[in-house]
Amino acid sequence: MKGGGGIDSKQQLHFAHYQSEEYKTCPLNEDNPSMSPEQVKANQYMGVQESKRHERLKNALGEVMEMDTDCRGTEIDKCYAGREKHERRRPDVQTNYKDINLVLEVQLSTEFITIISDREAYYRDKKAFMLWIFDSFSRNGIMNQSERDIFYKNNSHAFCIDQSLLEKSKEHKKLYLNVIYNIPYIEDGKIKNRLQSEIITIDDITFNNETFSAYYFPYDKRYQELKLAIIHENLKKLVTEHSSIEKLEPYLLKNTEIATPFR
């Protein structure tokens, strides 16, 4: 323990490492360039007892997946089976569901977008699917930042479960979820979103083997279809109003990528 000058010149005590070989490789050593901020944060919380709420939900989800005859090798809070030896990923629940590697992560607290992205990228690189599971979710445009990051990064989807759905899941031996998702639509020539909510089972989720994304409604695909429809409609109006290609060129250049199919 060391002392140092503080407010009003009073000595403040803080812990410090002894200068040693162990100090050089300690993950909490700020001079260790091998550790990213995300890794440092993860290690800081490693070994800290998780909340009872998190633990109860994690164990309940694992119990349901163990009951499901479509699942094999379900593990709760174990190191990820597909990890490298030096990796320490420990998902809340992992299982083999209908021959796909599936990870369930309980999300109750606020996480940085970098940590969310890092975790999703890790499992995607391992060719595994990952579902964030909430026990509650803000709506009506008042999501917290962590909810927004997960929602919009995952095809505008959030998967939630409460006590009644847990009981229903155990009764039917199949995971039931409340999926909250956006449905895009066109109004006044612009794309808007309508929030929808439905009770589904895990069997209703689409697992895309190309993108390793999981969703109930193909929001991204539908959004692009509507965007193309708007461009197509605008092009028809421009052609009607202006016969000269010079008049169309600025619009085509602005929408080059999305307008490609019409060339």
Side-chain angles (χ1 to χ4, degrees), residues 2-249:
K2 290 186 177 182
I7 299 174
D8 298 328
S9 299
K10 292 181 180 179
Q11 189 179 53
Q12 294 183 333
L13 300 179
H14 60 274
F15 289 98
H17 278 283
Y18 286 109
Q19 296 298 325
S20 64
E21 289 302 314
E22 288 81 2
Y23 167 72
K24 295 178 182 178
T25 58
C26 175
L28 300 184
N29 173 12
E30 294 179 354
D31 296 323
N32 181 5
S34 65
M35 299 295 290
S36 68
E38 293 75 25
Q39 290 171 312
V40 170
K41 182 177 184 294
N43 279 295
Q44 285 175 328
Y45 286 97
M46 193 175 297
V48 177
Q49 186 177 13
E50 60 189 327
S51 71
K52 292 182 179 180
R53 178 175 156 218
H54 186 120
E55 189 172 2
R56 282 196 299 268
L57 182 52
K58 171 188 67 180
N59 289 331
L61 288 170
E63 183 181 347
V64 170
M65 302 311 282
E66 286 177 336
M67 293 178 177
D68 192 337
T69 56
D70 287 323
C71 294
R72 294 181 289 106
T74 300
E75 298 278 6
I76 303 171
D77 199 27
K78 300 290 185 182
C79 284
Y80 181 61
R83 76 190 191 285
E84 300 295 331
K85 289 184 178 180
H86 64 279
E87 295 171 338
R88 304 182 67 177
R89 294 286 179 179
R90 190 185 294 271
D92 289 328
V93 180
Q94 59 183 305
T95 191
N96 185 285
Y97 166 74
K98 294 184 177 180
D99 293 327
I100 66 171
N101 295 321
L102 177 62
V103 165
L104 305 181
E105 288 282 13
V106 174
Q107 177 58 25
L108 306 181
S109 59
T110 300
E111 294 284 12
F112 295 119
I113 182 61
T114 50
I115 294 176
I116 292 170
S117 298
D118 177 66
R119 198 171 302 179
E120 291 176 349
Y122 175 83
Y123 290 114
R124 188 165 54 247
D125 290 343
K126 298 293 185 184
K127 301 190 183 308
F129 292 88
M130 177 182 164
L131 293 182
W132 295 97
I133 306 294
F134 297 85
D135 69 345
S136 63
F137 195 81
S138 307
R139 305 192 197 185
N140 302 323
I142 54 174
M143 303 178 196
N144 63 46
Q145 190 58 53
S146 183
E147 290 173 337
R148 292 176 66 86
D149 290 338
I150 290 174
F151 185 77
Y152 290 109
K153 278 175 57 59
N154 287 273
N155 233 308
S156 291
H157 278 63
F159 296 102
C160 310
I161 194 166
D162 57 17
Q163 187 59 40
S164 64
L165 286 178
L166 275 174
E167 292 172 1
K168 189 171 184 177
S169 297
K170 291 178 181 179
E171 178 185 354
H172 295 278
K173 299 180 180 180
K174 179 68 64 175
L175 183 61
Y176 277 77
L177 295 166
N178 179 18
V179 58
I180 300 167
Y181 61 100
N182 269 335
I183 295 181
Y185 64 96
I186 297 175
E187 184 178 289
D188 299 327
K190 297 181 180 179
I191 298 177
K192 298 185 178 181
N193 293 309
R194 180 175 67 254
L195 208 59
Q196 187 80 8
S197 176
E198 290 186 43
I199 303 301
I200 65 170
T201 74
I202 190 173
D203 294 338
D204 297 315
I205 298 175
T206 296
F207 294 93
N208 188 317
N209 286 304
E210 294 183 1
T211 60
F212 285 92
S213 57
Y215 50 85
Y216 173 67
F217 176 80
Y219 177 87
D220 291 345
K221 179 181 178 182
R222 182 58 179 156
Y223 183 92
Q224 292 302 322
E225 290 173 349
L226 294 180
K227 194 170 182 181
L228 284 170
I230 291 174
I231 291 174
H232 190 231
E233 187 63 27
N234 288 340
L235 282 173
K236 287 197 298 184
K237 290 180 181 179
L238 286 171
V239 169
T240 302
E241 297 170 0
H242 306 286
S243 59
S244 173
I245 189 63
E246 285 76 14
K247 299 290 185 179
L248 296 175
E249 189 173 8

